[in-house]
Amino acid sequence: MRLVILGPPGAGKGTQAARLAAHYGIPAVSTGDIFRANISEGTPLGVQVKEILDSGGYVSDEITNAMVRDRLAQDDAEPGFLLDGYPRTKAQVEELDAMLAEQGHALDVVAELTVDRDEIVGRLLKRAATDGRTDDTEDVIRKRQQIYADETAPLVEIYRERALLVAVDGLGEVADVTDRLVAAIDARH
Ligand code: ADP
C-alpha cells in the first residue's frame, strides 16, 4: 500500500497518518517530523532548515526530495508507506513519480483531508499552546495557509485527474475521521 495524505496545515494529517499507518502496517513518513527531529538534534540539515520552518516557508525541493528519497530507500518502506507532508509542490510530485517508477511501483491512493478555515486556525492556536511548535503563531499560520493554497492545493487536481484522489471530511472525532479514511481508501484500493 502506497498512500499520500494531503490537506492544509491543521487538517489533522499527522494524527491521521499515524493511525492509518498502524492500521495498514506501513511506516508513516512525515517530512515535517523529519525536519523537526533534525532541528532538535542539531544536525547539519536541521541547522539549514530551522529558519525556513520557523518562518512558515517551504524547504527547497532539492533538499526535501533528497531527504524523502533516502527515507523511502530504507527497508521498512519496501512493502509500502504513507507520506504525510510530501509531495507539496508540482516538482515534488514529479520527483515522487520518478522514485516510484525506479522501484517499479505506483501510488495507490491520495487521501485529501478537508477542513474549513476557521476550524483550522482554532486548532493550530490550540496546538501552539500544547505542543509549543514555533511555527504555530497566528502570522506564521496565515503564511502557511497562503503557501498551501498557492503551492499545494493544485496537487489535489493533479491526483484527481489521475483518479487517485479520495476526499474525506476531517471534522469530528479523531477515530471517526480514521474510520472514514479507511473506508474511502479501501473502496478505492
Ligand atoms: P503542517 O502540515 O501543519 O504545515 P508539517 O509538519 O507537515 O506541518 O510541515 C511543517 C513545515 O515543514 C512546513 O511549513 C515546511 O516548512 C516544512 N516542510 C514539510 N514538508 C515539506 C515539503 N514537502 N516541502 C517543503 N517544505 C516542507
Side-chain angles (χ1 to χ4, degrees), residues 7-11 13-14 30-33 35-36 49 52-61 64 67-68 84-89 92 124 127 133 135-136 144 148:
K13 289 188 305 290
S30 160
T31 46
D33 283 353
F35 285 134
R36 281 187 291 276
V49 302
I52 302 170
L53 263 82
D54 284 349
S55 75
Y58 281 178
V59 176
S60 74
D61 289 329
T64 308
M67 186 179 82
V68 171
D84 159 25
Y86 184 93
R88 251 180 163 97
T89 64
Q92 292 178 13
L124 288 171
R127 186 171 77 187
R133 255 178 68 169
D135 59 349
D136 279 342
R144 281 159 55 211
Y148 181 86

Side-chain angles (χ1 to χ4, degrees), residues 81-111:
F81 51 78
L82 188 164
L83 284 167
D84 159 25
Y86 184 93
R88 251 180 163 97
T89 64
K90 286 184 185 169
Q92 292 178 13
V93 169
E94 285 163 22
E95 179 67 12
L96 177 60
D97 287 343
M99 285 183 231
L100 288 166
E102 285 164 26
Q103 303 174 342
H105 295 312
L107 284 178
D108 294 299
V109 181
V110 176

Side-chain angles (χ1 to χ4, degrees), residues 34-35 38-39 42-50 59 63-64 67:
I34 300 174
F35 285 134
N38 276 275
I39 291 170
T43 69
L45 173 65
V47 170
Q48 204 176 359
V49 302
K50 180 176 182 351
V59 176
I63 292 175
T64 308
M67 186 179 82

